[in-house]
Amino acid sequence: MPTVASVMLLTGCDDQIMEWFTPEGHGTVTKAELPLQVKEVLANYDNIKDYASQYMPNTVIGLGIGGAIYASDDARHQLADNNFQMITWGNAMKHDAMMSNSGTLNTASLDTYLDAMPAGMKLYGHNFFWHTQQNQTYLRSLIVPSVEIIQDASENVENIVANSDFEAGNTSGWGAWSSAGCKQEISDKGEGFESDYAIRLYNPAAGANYSAQAFYKLPAVTYEEGETYVLSFYVMGDHIDTQFQAQLQNRNTYSAKKYLGSPINKAGEWTYYEHEFEMTADIINSAFDHITFDFGAATGYVWIDNVKFGKKKTGPTNYAENGSFENGTNGWTFNNPGAGVEVVELDDAIDGSHALKLTAKDDSKNYWDLQITTAGMPTFPGEKVRIAFFIKSSQVGKGRVSYPSGDEITNQWPWVNWTGKQSSWTESFETSTSWTEINYVMQNMSHDFKDGATTWHFCIDLGTEPGVTYYVDDVRVTLLSEEGESTSSKQKAAPRRVQMKYTPKTAEEKDAILTDAMESWISSMADYLNGKGITPYGYDVINEAIADGSNKVRGVDNVFGGNDTEPVETESDITLNWDNGHFYWGYYVKDYGVKAFQFARKYFPNTKLFINDYNLETSPGKLAALIDWVKSIDAANGTPIVDGIGTQMHIAINPTDNADDNATIIANLKEKVDAQFKTLAATGKLVRVTELDVDMCGYEDGERSPIKSPSAAQYKCQADVYRMIFESYKANVPAAQQSGITIWSLTDQADEHEYWLEGGQPNLFDANNLRKWAYKGVCDGIAGEDLGLKYGGEDYKAFYEKQNVSDTVK
């Protein structure tokens, strides 16, 4: 081509128009032969998906994007639709986004995103199982110990049996008789029901049930006709006695009007009986004066313990364990004991004779510097719950109630009308040398139980005032539905206390429960998507399973990541020791990998199922470990079940303005990329690049430092990397195994990089939605050639007409 000179003529109407002429001595040049600048060439390029259809017809070129951006920003929505064949939602289909605390799907947001997709746009599911972005609250709730509320009979009855628990080590007040000569004695120490002692009876010969009797002389009291009375006790035999019974007996006439059958149905186990009945005139007129137990129908030993009898107490149940502190500090946890926490006797104790004494350190300043926490309590969805207690201090003090876990209560640090007499809600309450009652209803103070939470706790925080001593007593947690009309604790009957019986789940039970949760999660998503008429092209069934460094499966054999460590389990709780949102399925579910793919295949039979991980191009050991695990999943299933392997390929480069330096960067990277694709291809599986981006950055002290204003040379290097990856993919992965490539994020706008590659420019479009050098690199990589070579002459006009190219392209 002859050398061409040009002159830019400035006109009054448009300074963008160039006029060309032929200098003297040169031949004629046609318009088609006129060269264009790169930006003018790029303006003529077709949309990415048009090149994909032409040059990679059996693959799918996708885009990873935030659903909210796609659905709300019309310009980016259209840009995505014009250029890509498939959408992967960045977070919208992950477990924590979809799964509620009750185990049902939250579909509102995803409905919006899916409804915004045009006809023909494919969907890629991301993802089912990961070690992060899981609804940890829900999953933990499935495996924590089950809790049973046990009503303490002594709190349920105005007990008139003086020696009811035998803990004095004698049977004072009790007697026994039998026709064959029975024996009555205090048991050996440790034989009582969860205590030291019980009364032990022995019958040498079987007869009628009344042929052997143990009895207790009741005090002279006036019984109230029409009221409810309770007789409760524990009984155990070394034999079965289906005729064992209790009665209210007149031992002068040996008659009774109230018999209470209480069979011993299993030898060697304690059985609890709690008999409620109406006190009738007939019973009162029998002049009963003893509680009598008939144990003569069988031969052997019988133990009886915790015998309570009297009028039934009214009032709500108190779900706060040991709120009176009469059992020491049982049930309470001291997160920060300050200068000391102990139970002491007080003459003016509110409930019983004891209270909890707490003293702040001399340098105490934060609420949590002196903090105690209740035992776990069951949640009460739909109920209003009252928290109340009495508190006083050695001088003016200050405190608050907080909630230790954001997984349990909707507001961890509520402002409250603490006494019900304040003019406004405050962060804290004041204390004085006189008892003050803190008394409020949670739900009236804008906090409640989170959906799916099964247990909860609260803290009393008293650390802001240094050196102050506090006394706490009569801690109550009650339901308004059980209280009746009065709200003052001094105007209603005392709450009845309960105990929580916790039953930890076995490893086998946890495995089974979480396996069911895995299936439910996948089947629910299948039902939801089927209902919308959508069959995903592909799905990341498991994401990022291989741990960095160890190259082992996360969760298995105590392999975790970051600061996560092995969970700690107690009789009443599980502390996962995993960051918020983290959940390692492999820790609890044996062979979770194969189960995940089996469930996915069952409910998504027409979807390509992938396993996906990162740094596979830079870590051959991690890649090998992932492939080995895939082989083990296929082997455990009996036939291949994993359709494909996804490599994320979040690429970081640090280009310069030196072309040779940049060529070296690309050559070194290409060697690793080629090797990765060849290794993946050797598996025979589909190969997909699932999250491709190219970040321009350096690293200072291990911290990423993005290049803020890249030069034209740096942008071109980024484009060349994109092109190299597409070309390597096509060259090293057989066509039949090519699933395609997904670009991760659409533009360099800040809201697309708030949590990922912040401050960077890793994408194909700039912050104004205009094409960058990288756009050309992707298109040329798809085509396997420089598509710009066919443009020239008047094609330059497209740049000025379409205005679709970034000013970074120079």
Side-chain angles (χ1 to χ4, degrees), residues 130-162:
W130 195 13
H131 67 280
T132 188
Q133 289 189 252
Q134 309 294 285
N135 187 335
Q136 186 188 91
T137 299
Y138 165 65
L139 296 172
R140 178 181 170 277
S141 75
L142 299 178
I143 58 175
V144 295
S146 58
V147 59
E148 177 186 359
I149 302 172
I150 300 176
Q151 182 69 52
D152 185 343
S154 66
E155 300 295 343
N156 195 33
V157 59
E158 297 174 3
N159 183 33
I160 60 174
V161 179

PDB file of all heavy atoms in Angstrom, residues 130-162:
ATOM      1  N   TRP A 130     -21.228 -25.251  49.152  1.00  0.00           N
ATOM      2  CA  TRP A 130     -19.995 -24.476  49.291  1.00  0.00           C
ATOM      3  C   TRP A 130     -19.679 -24.474  50.772  1.00  0.00           C
ATOM      4  O   TRP A 130     -20.498 -24.884  51.611  1.00  0.00           O
ATOM      5  CB  TRP A 130     -20.242 -23.067  48.752  1.00  0.00           C
ATOM      6  CG  TRP A 130     -19.036 -22.229  48.488  1.00  0.00           C
ATOM      7  CD1 TRP A 130     -17.748 -22.627  48.441  1.00  0.00           C
ATOM      8  CD2 TRP A 130     -19.037 -20.821  48.209  1.00  0.00           C
ATOM      9  NE1 TRP A 130     -16.927 -21.565  48.147  1.00  0.00           N
ATOM     10  CE2 TRP A 130     -17.696 -20.436  48.003  1.00  0.00           C
ATOM     11  CE3 TRP A 130     -20.032 -19.855  48.121  1.00  0.00           C
ATOM     12  CZ2 TRP A 130     -17.332 -19.124  47.715  1.00  0.00           C
ATOM     13  CZ3 TRP A 130     -19.669 -18.554  47.827  1.00  0.00           C
ATOM     14  CH2 TRP A 130     -18.331 -18.197  47.618  1.00  0.00           C
ATOM     15  N   HIS A 131     -18.516 -23.997  51.144  1.00  0.00           N
ATOM     16  CA  HIS A 131     -18.212 -23.906  52.573  1.00  0.00           C
ATOM     17  C   HIS A 131     -18.546 -22.526  53.123  1.00  0.00           C
ATOM     18  O   HIS A 131     -18.416 -22.293  54.332  1.00  0.00           O
ATOM     19  CB  HIS A 131     -16.739 -24.236  52.851  1.00  0.00           C
ATOM     20  CG  HIS A 131     -15.784 -23.227  52.304  1.00  0.00           C
ATOM     21  ND1 HIS A 131     -15.416 -23.199  50.976  1.00  0.00           N
ATOM     22  CD2 HIS A 131     -15.132 -22.192  52.896  1.00  0.00           C
ATOM     23  CE1 HIS A 131     -14.571 -22.207  50.777  1.00  0.00           C
ATOM     24  NE2 HIS A 131     -14.384 -21.566  51.934  1.00  0.00           N
ATOM     25  N   THR A 132     -18.967 -21.621  52.274  1.00  0.00           N
ATOM     26  CA  THR A 132     -19.346 -20.292  52.731  1.00  0.00           C
ATOM     27  C   THR A 132     -20.646 -19.886  52.041  1.00  0.00           C
ATOM     28  O   THR A 132     -21.136 -20.580  51.147  1.00  0.00           O
ATOM     29  CB  THR A 132     -18.224 -19.270  52.448  1.00  0.00           C
ATOM     30  OG1 THR A 132     -18.556 -18.034  53.062  1.00  0.00           O
ATOM     31  CG2 THR A 132     -18.014 -19.075  50.964  1.00  0.00           C
ATOM     32  N   GLN A 133     -21.225 -18.751  52.497  1.00  0.00           N
ATOM     33  CA  GLN A 133     -22.528 -18.295  52.021  1.00  0.00           C
ATOM     34  C   GLN A 133     -23.588 -19.387  52.134  1.00  0.00           C
ATOM     35  O   GLN A 133     -24.402 -19.599  51.246  1.00  0.00           O
ATOM     36  CB  GLN A 133     -22.430 -17.741  50.600  1.00  0.00           C
ATOM     37  CG  GLN A 133     -21.697 -16.404  50.560  1.00  0.00           C
ATOM     38  CD  GLN A 133     -21.762 -15.710  49.223  1.00  0.00           C
ATOM     39  OE1 GLN A 133     -20.755 -15.644  48.503  1.00  0.00           O
ATOM     40  NE2 GLN A 133     -22.916 -15.199  48.879  1.00  0.00           N
ATOM     41  N   GLN A 134     -23.548 -20.073  53.274  1.00  0.00           N
ATOM     42  CA  GLN A 134     -24.571 -21.043  53.633  1.00  0.00           C
ATOM     43  C   GLN A 134     -25.419 -20.443  54.761  1.00  0.00           C
ATOM     44  O   GLN A 134     -24.937 -19.630  55.542  1.00  0.00           O
ATOM     45  CB  GLN A 134     -23.932 -22.346  54.120  1.00  0.00           C
ATOM     46  CG  GLN A 134     -22.886 -22.928  53.195  1.00  0.00           C
ATOM     47  CD  GLN A 134     -23.460 -23.391  51.878  1.00  0.00           C
ATOM     48  OE1 GLN A 134     -24.111 -24.422  51.791  1.00  0.00           O
ATOM     49  NE2 GLN A 134     -23.232 -22.613  50.815  1.00  0.00           N
ATOM     50  N   ASN A 135     -26.676 -20.843  54.840  1.00  0.00           N
ATOM     51  CA  ASN A 135     -27.500 -20.378  55.965  1.00  0.00           C
ATOM     52  C   ASN A 135     -27.107 -21.188  57.191  1.00  0.00           C
ATOM     53  O   ASN A 135     -27.707 -22.214  57.518  1.00  0.00           O
ATOM     54  CB  ASN A 135     -28.985 -20.522  55.675  1.00  0.00           C
ATOM     55  CG  ASN A 135     -29.845 -19.895  56.755  1.00  0.00           C
ATOM     56  OD1 ASN A 135     -29.421 -19.769  57.910  1.00  0.00           O
ATOM     57  ND2 ASN A 135     -31.050 -19.501  56.405  1.00  0.00           N
ATOM     58  N   GLN A 136     -26.067 -20.704  57.867  1.00  0.00           N
ATOM     59  CA  GLN A 136     -25.523 -21.433  59.008  1.00  0.00           C
ATOM     60  C   GLN A 136     -26.544 -21.567  60.135  1.00  0.00           C
ATOM     61  O   GLN A 136     -26.601 -22.599  60.804  1.00  0.00           O
ATOM     62  CB  GLN A 136     -24.269 -20.713  59.510  1.00  0.00           C
ATOM     63  CG  GLN A 136     -23.512 -21.448  60.603  1.00  0.00           C
ATOM     64  CD  GLN A 136     -22.395 -20.608  61.181  1.00  0.00           C
ATOM     65  OE1 GLN A 136     -22.597 -19.894  62.157  1.00  0.00           O
ATOM     66  NE2 GLN A 136     -21.217 -20.679  60.563  1.00  0.00           N
ATOM     67  N   THR A 137     -27.350 -20.530  60.341  1.00  0.00           N
ATOM     68  CA  THR A 137     -28.357 -20.586  61.406  1.00  0.00           C
ATOM     69  C   THR A 137     -29.296 -21.759  61.206  1.00  0.00           C
ATOM     70  O   THR A 137     -29.565 -22.535  62.130  1.00  0.00           O
ATOM     71  CB  THR A 137     -29.168 -19.277  61.432  1.00  0.00           C
ATOM     72  OG1 THR A 137     -28.294 -18.198  61.703  1.00  0.00           O
ATOM     73  CG2 THR A 137     -30.243 -19.332  62.504  1.00  0.00           C
ATOM     74  N   TYR A 138     -29.799 -21.907  59.994  1.00  0.00           N
ATOM     75  CA  TYR A 138     -30.728 -22.995  59.702  1.00  0.00           C
ATOM     76  C   TYR A 138     -30.043 -24.353  59.830  1.00  0.00           C
ATOM     77  O   TYR A 138     -30.570 -25.266  60.493  1.00  0.00           O
ATOM     78  CB  TYR A 138     -31.298 -22.816  58.298  1.00  0.00           C
ATOM     79  CG  TYR A 138     -31.982 -24.044  57.758  1.00  0.00           C
ATOM     80  CD1 TYR A 138     -33.132 -24.543  58.347  1.00  0.00           C
ATOM     81  CD2 TYR A 138     -31.459 -24.718  56.655  1.00  0.00           C
ATOM     82  CE1 TYR A 138     -33.756 -25.676  57.847  1.00  0.00           C
ATOM     83  CE2 TYR A 138     -32.078 -25.844  56.153  1.00  0.00           C
ATOM     84  CZ  TYR A 138     -33.215 -26.322  56.749  1.00  0.00           C
ATOM     85  OH  TYR A 138     -33.818 -27.451  56.254  1.00  0.00           O
ATOM     86  N   LEU A 139     -28.877 -24.495  59.242  1.00  0.00           N
ATOM     87  CA  LEU A 139     -28.206 -25.789  59.252  1.00  0.00           C
ATOM     88  C   LEU A 139     -27.798 -26.194  60.661  1.00  0.00           C
ATOM     89  O   LEU A 139     -27.949 -27.356  61.051  1.00  0.00           O
ATOM     90  CB  LEU A 139     -26.995 -25.755  58.325  1.00  0.00           C
ATOM     91  CG  LEU A 139     -27.323 -25.536  56.839  1.00  0.00           C
ATOM     92  CD1 LEU A 139     -26.054 -25.333  56.035  1.00  0.00           C
ATOM     93  CD2 LEU A 139     -28.138 -26.700  56.289  1.00  0.00           C
ATOM     94  N   ARG A 140     -27.306 -25.243  61.447  1.00  0.00           N
ATOM     95  CA  ARG A 140     -26.950 -25.546  62.834  1.00  0.00           C
ATOM     96  C   ARG A 140     -28.183 -25.971  63.633  1.00  0.00           C
ATOM     97  O   ARG A 140     -28.116 -26.871  64.472  1.00  0.00           O
ATOM     98  CB  ARG A 140     -26.300 -24.329  63.477  1.00  0.00           C
ATOM     99  CG  ARG A 140     -25.928 -24.506  64.947  1.00  0.00           C
ATOM    100  CD  ARG A 140     -25.310 -23.241  65.512  1.00  0.00           C
ATOM    101  NE  ARG A 140     -25.168 -23.317  66.953  1.00  0.00           N
ATOM    102  CZ  ARG A 140     -26.149 -23.053  67.813  1.00  0.00           C
ATOM    103  NH1 ARG A 140     -27.337 -22.674  67.359  1.00  0.00           N
ATOM    104  NH2 ARG A 140     -25.945 -23.154  69.106  1.00  0.00           N
ATOM    105  N   SER A 141     -29.318 -25.333  63.365  1.00  0.00           N
ATOM    106  CA  SER A 141     -30.535 -25.662  64.114  1.00  0.00           C
ATOM    107  C   SER A 141     -30.971 -27.105  63.907  1.00  0.00           C
ATOM    108  O   SER A 141     -31.666 -27.685  64.751  1.00  0.00           O
ATOM    109  CB  SER A 141     -31.677 -24.724  63.709  1.00  0.00           C
ATOM    110  OG  SER A 141     -32.203 -25.053  62.429  1.00  0.00           O
ATOM    111  N   LEU A 142     -30.545 -27.700  62.786  1.00  0.00           N
ATOM    112  CA  LEU A 142     -30.936 -29.081  62.507  1.00  0.00           C
ATOM    113  C   LEU A 142     -30.171 -30.094  63.356  1.00  0.00           C
ATOM    114  O   LEU A 142     -30.655 -31.201  63.590  1.00  0.00           O
ATOM    115  CB  LEU A 142     -30.709 -29.391  61.024  1.00  0.00           C
ATOM    116  CG  LEU A 142     -31.474 -28.559  60.010  1.00  0.00           C
ATOM    117  CD1 LEU A 142     -31.086 -28.974  58.596  1.00  0.00           C
ATOM    118  CD2 LEU A 142     -32.980 -28.690  60.212  1.00  0.00           C
ATOM    119  N   ILE A 143     -28.988 -29.704  63.812  1.00  0.00           N
ATOM    120  CA  ILE A 143     -28.110 -30.700  64.449  1.00  0.00           C
ATOM    121  C   ILE A 143     -27.823 -30.418  65.912  1.00  0.00           C
ATOM    122  O   ILE A 143     -27.158 -31.223  66.568  1.00  0.00           O
ATOM    123  CB  ILE A 143     -26.772 -30.811  63.681  1.00  0.00           C
ATOM    124  CG1 ILE A 143     -26.064 -29.458  63.610  1.00  0.00           C
ATOM    125  CG2 ILE A 143     -27.008 -31.389  62.290  1.00  0.00           C
ATOM    126  CD1 ILE A 143     -24.677 -29.515  62.979  1.00  0.00           C
ATOM    127  N   VAL A 144     -28.296 -29.275  66.446  1.00  0.00           N
ATOM    128  CA  VAL A 144     -28.079 -29.018  67.873  1.00  0.00           C
ATOM    129  C   VAL A 144     -28.874 -30.032  68.688  1.00  0.00           C
ATOM    130  O   VAL A 144     -29.834 -30.635  68.202  1.00  0.00           O
ATOM    131  CB  VAL A 144     -28.488 -27.581  68.259  1.00  0.00           C
ATOM    132  CG1 VAL A 144     -27.607 -26.566  67.579  1.00  0.00           C
ATOM    133  CG2 VAL A 144     -29.960 -27.337  67.945  1.00  0.00           C
ATOM    134  N   PRO A 145     -28.496 -30.230  69.942  1.00  0.00           N
ATOM    135  CA  PRO A 145     -29.253 -31.173  70.778  1.00  0.00           C
ATOM    136  C   PRO A 145     -30.722 -30.790  70.843  1.00  0.00           C
ATOM    137  O   PRO A 145     -31.079 -29.610  70.881  1.00  0.00           O
ATOM    138  CB  PRO A 145     -28.581 -31.036  72.151  1.00  0.00           C
ATOM    139  CG  PRO A 145     -27.182 -30.593  71.834  1.00  0.00           C
ATOM    140  CD  PRO A 145     -27.317 -29.688  70.649  1.00  0.00           C
ATOM    141  N   SER A 146     -31.578 -31.805  70.827  1.00  0.00           N
ATOM    142  CA  SER A 146     -33.001 -31.547  71.004  1.00  0.00           C
ATOM    143  C   SER A 146     -33.249 -31.188  72.459  1.00  0.00           C
ATOM    144  O   SER A 146     -32.508 -31.610  73.357  1.00  0.00           O
ATOM    145  CB  SER A 146     -33.827 -32.777  70.611  1.00  0.00           C
ATOM    146  OG  SER A 146     -33.444 -33.903  71.372  1.00  0.00           O
ATOM    147  N   VAL A 147     -34.256 -30.374  72.698  1.00  0.00           N
ATOM    148  CA  VAL A 147     -34.530 -29.903  74.049  1.00  0.00           C
ATOM    149  C   VAL A 147     -35.954 -30.270  74.446  1.00  0.00           C
ATOM    150  O   VAL A 147     -36.894 -30.128  73.664  1.00  0.00           O
ATOM    151  CB  VAL A 147     -34.298 -28.386  74.169  1.00  0.00           C
ATOM    152  CG1 VAL A 147     -35.181 -27.607  73.205  1.00  0.00           C
ATOM    153  CG2 VAL A 147     -34.532 -27.917  75.594  1.00  0.00           C
ATOM    154  N   GLU A 148     -36.073 -30.788  75.653  1.00  0.00           N
ATOM    155  CA  GLU A 148     -37.374 -31.141  76.211  1.00  0.00           C
ATOM    156  C   GLU A 148     -37.579 -30.317  77.480  1.00  0.00           C
ATOM    157  O   GLU A 148     -36.697 -30.235  78.338  1.00  0.00           O
ATOM    158  CB  GLU A 148     -37.426 -32.631  76.545  1.00  0.00           C
ATOM    159  CG  GLU A 148     -38.720 -33.084  77.194  1.00  0.00           C
ATOM    160  CD  GLU A 148     -38.664 -34.543  77.625  1.00  0.00           C
ATOM    161  OE1 GLU A 148     -37.625 -35.198  77.398  1.00  0.00           O
ATOM    162  OE2 GLU A 148     -39.656 -35.021  78.211  1.00  0.00           O
ATOM    163  N   ILE A 149     -38.729 -29.676  77.576  1.00  0.00           N
ATOM    164  CA  ILE A 149     -39.038 -28.869  78.747  1.00  0.00           C
ATOM    165  C   ILE A 149     -39.637 -29.775  79.821  1.00  0.00           C
ATOM    166  O   ILE A 149     -40.667 -30.413  79.612  1.00  0.00           O
ATOM    167  CB  ILE A 149     -40.026 -27.748  78.396  1.00  0.00           C
ATOM    168  CG1 ILE A 149     -39.432 -26.861  77.296  1.00  0.00           C
ATOM    169  CG2 ILE A 149     -40.383 -26.930  79.624  1.00  0.00           C
ATOM    170  CD1 ILE A 149     -40.405 -25.851  76.746  1.00  0.00           C
ATOM    171  N   ILE A 150     -38.968 -29.831  80.954  1.00  0.00           N
ATOM    172  CA  ILE A 150     -39.431 -30.682  82.056  1.00  0.00           C
ATOM    173  C   ILE A 150     -39.892 -29.785  83.194  1.00  0.00           C
ATOM    174  O   ILE A 150     -39.115 -28.986  83.719  1.00  0.00           O
ATOM    175  CB  ILE A 150     -38.322 -31.621  82.541  1.00  0.00           C
ATOM    176  CG1 ILE A 150     -37.863 -32.536  81.390  1.00  0.00           C
ATOM    177  CG2 ILE A 150     -38.788 -32.446  83.729  1.00  0.00           C
ATOM    178  CD1 ILE A 150     -36.705 -33.419  81.756  1.00  0.00           C
ATOM    179  N   GLN A 151     -41.143 -29.896  83.523  1.00  0.00           N
ATOM    180  CA  GLN A 151     -41.676 -29.114  84.626  1.00  0.00           C
ATOM    181  C   GLN A 151     -41.195 -29.688  85.950  1.00  0.00           C
ATOM    182  O   GLN A 151     -41.321 -30.882  86.207  1.00  0.00           O
ATOM    183  CB  GLN A 151     -43.216 -29.147  84.598  1.00  0.00           C
ATOM    184  CG  GLN A 151     -43.869 -28.314  85.673  1.00  0.00           C
ATOM    185  CD  GLN A 151     -43.671 -26.829  85.431  1.00  0.00           C
ATOM    186  OE1 GLN A 151     -43.959 -26.334  84.369  1.00  0.00           O
ATOM    187  NE2 GLN A 151     -43.171 -26.138  86.426  1.00  0.00           N
ATOM    188  N   ASP A 152     -40.591 -28.858  86.750  1.00  0.00           N
ATOM    189  CA  ASP A 152     -40.157 -29.264  88.095  1.00  0.00           C
ATOM    190  C   ASP A 152     -41.384 -29.334  88.987  1.00  0.00           C
ATOM    191  O   ASP A 152     -42.042 -28.319  89.244  1.00  0.00           O
ATOM    192  CB  ASP A 152     -39.155 -28.244  88.636  1.00  0.00           C
ATOM    193  CG  ASP A 152     -38.568 -28.662  89.979  1.00  0.00           C
ATOM    194  OD1 ASP A 152     -39.164 -29.545  90.625  1.00  0.00           O
ATOM    195  OD2 ASP A 152     -37.541 -28.102  90.367  1.00  0.00           O
ATOM    196  N   ALA A 153     -41.694 -30.537  89.449  1.00  0.00           N
ATOM    197  CA  ALA A 153     -42.921 -30.718  90.226  1.00  0.00           C
ATOM    198  C   ALA A 153     -42.949 -29.853  91.476  1.00  0.00           C
ATOM    199  O   ALA A 153     -44.008 -29.414  91.916  1.00  0.00           O
ATOM    200  CB  ALA A 153     -43.080 -32.194  90.617  1.00  0.00           C
ATOM    201  N   SER A 154     -41.799 -29.589  92.088  1.00  0.00           N
ATOM    202  CA  SER A 154     -41.778 -28.769  93.296  1.00  0.00           C
ATOM    203  C   SER A 154     -42.217 -27.342  92.990  1.00  0.00           C
ATOM    204  O   SER A 154     -42.658 -26.626  93.882  1.00  0.00           O
ATOM    205  CB  SER A 154     -40.363 -28.757  93.893  1.00  0.00           C
ATOM    206  OG  SER A 154     -39.457 -28.106  93.013  1.00  0.00           O
ATOM    207  N   GLU A 155     -42.096 -26.935  91.744  1.00  0.00           N
ATOM    208  CA  GLU A 155     -42.551 -25.607  91.369  1.00  0.00           C
ATOM    209  C   GLU A 155     -43.983 -25.642  90.887  1.00  0.00           C
ATOM    210  O   GLU A 155     -44.591 -24.606  90.652  1.00  0.00           O
ATOM    211  CB  GLU A 155     -41.646 -25.043  90.260  1.00  0.00           C
ATOM    212  CG  GLU A 155     -40.197 -24.919  90.641  1.00  0.00           C
ATOM    213  CD  GLU A 155     -39.976 -23.908  91.741  1.00  0.00           C
ATOM    214  OE1 GLU A 155     -40.887 -23.092  91.986  1.00  0.00           O
ATOM    215  OE2 GLU A 155     -38.907 -23.934  92.360  1.00  0.00           O
ATOM    216  N   ASN A 156     -44.536 -26.826  90.713  1.00  0.00           N
ATOM    217  CA  ASN A 156     -45.880 -26.985  90.179  1.00  0.00           C
ATOM    218  C   ASN A 156     -46.909 -27.216  91.283  1.00  0.00           C
ATOM    219  O   ASN A 156     -48.099 -27.233  91.015  1.00  0.00           O
ATOM    220  CB  ASN A 156     -45.880 -28.177  89.205  1.00  0.00           C
ATOM    221  CG  ASN A 156     -47.107 -28.203  88.333  1.00  0.00           C
ATOM    222  OD1 ASN A 156     -47.646 -27.164  87.980  1.00  0.00           O
ATOM    223  ND2 ASN A 156     -47.552 -29.401  87.988  1.00  0.00           N
ATOM    224  N   VAL A 157     -46.431 -27.402  92.511  1.00  0.00           N
ATOM    225  CA  VAL A 157     -47.336 -27.808  93.582  1.00  0.00           C
ATOM    226  C   VAL A 157     -46.908 -27.158  94.895  1.00  0.00           C
ATOM    227  O   VAL A 157     -45.719 -26.959  95.150  1.00  0.00           O
ATOM    228  CB  VAL A 157     -47.330 -29.357  93.719  1.00  0.00           C
ATOM    229  CG1 VAL A 157     -45.947 -29.884  94.008  1.00  0.00           C
ATOM    230  CG2 VAL A 157     -48.309 -29.834  94.764  1.00  0.00           C
ATOM    231  N   GLU A 158     -47.877 -26.803  95.700  1.00  0.00           N
ATOM    232  CA  GLU A 158     -47.608 -26.306  97.047  1.00  0.00           C
ATOM    233  C   GLU A 158     -47.364 -27.524  97.938  1.00  0.00           C
ATOM    234  O   GLU A 158     -48.263 -28.007  98.656  1.00  0.00           O
ATOM    235  CB  GLU A 158     -48.788 -25.465  97.532  1.00  0.00           C
ATOM    236  CG  GLU A 158     -49.011 -24.226  96.673  1.00  0.00           C
ATOM    237  CD  GLU A 158     -50.265 -23.464  97.058  1.00  0.00           C
ATOM    238  OE1 GLU A 158     -50.938 -23.871  98.034  1.00  0.00           O
ATOM    239  OE2 GLU A 158     -50.590 -22.471  96.386  1.00  0.00           O
ATOM    240  N   ASN A 159     -46.169 -28.021  97.901  1.00  0.00           N
ATOM    241  CA  ASN A 159     -45.847 -29.331  98.446  1.00  0.00           C
ATOM    242  C   ASN A 159     -45.956 -29.352  99.973  1.00  0.00           C
ATOM    243  O   ASN A 159     -45.390 -28.502 100.658  1.00  0.00           O
ATOM    244  CB  ASN A 159     -44.431 -29.729  98.019  1.00  0.00           C
ATOM    245  CG  ASN A 159     -44.050 -31.109  98.474  1.00  0.00           C
ATOM    246  OD1 ASN A 159     -44.903 -32.005  98.546  1.00  0.00           O
ATOM    247  ND2 ASN A 159     -42.778 -31.308  98.780  1.00  0.00           N
ATOM    248  N   ILE A 160     -46.666 -30.380 100.501  1.00  0.00           N
ATOM    249  CA  ILE A 160     -46.803 -30.528 101.960  1.00  0.00           C
ATOM    250  C   ILE A 160     -46.089 -31.785 102.465  1.00  0.00           C
ATOM    251  O   ILE A 160     -46.232 -32.156 103.632  1.00  0.00           O
ATOM    252  CB  ILE A 160     -48.286 -30.535 102.389  1.00  0.00           C
ATOM    253  CG1 ILE A 160     -49.045 -31.704 101.739  1.00  0.00           C
ATOM    254  CG2 ILE A 160     -48.958 -29.204 102.044  1.00  0.00           C
ATOM    255  CD1 ILE A 160     -50.484 -31.857 102.232  1.00  0.00           C
ATOM    256  N   VAL A 161     -45.317 -32.446 101.605  1.00  0.00           N
ATOM    257  CA  VAL A 161     -44.527 -33.611 102.020  1.00  0.00           C
ATOM    258  C   VAL A 161     -43.169 -33.095 102.472  1.00  0.00           C
ATOM    259  O   VAL A 161     -42.371 -32.621 101.648  1.00  0.00           O
ATOM    260  CB  VAL A 161     -44.373 -34.628 100.877  1.00  0.00           C
ATOM    261  CG1 VAL A 161     -43.519 -35.808 101.332  1.00  0.00           C
ATOM    262  CG2 VAL A 161     -45.735 -35.103 100.397  1.00  0.00           C
ATOM    263  N   ALA A 162     -42.888 -33.166 103.746  1.00  0.00           N
ATOM    264  CA  ALA A 162     -41.670 -32.577 104.297  1.00  0.00           C
ATOM    265  C   ALA A 162     -40.425 -33.314 103.828  1.00  0.00           C
ATOM    266  O   ALA A 162     -39.461 -32.713 103.361  1.00  0.00           O
ATOM    267  CB  ALA A 162     -41.744 -32.561 105.821  1.00  0.00           C
TER     268      ALA A 162
END
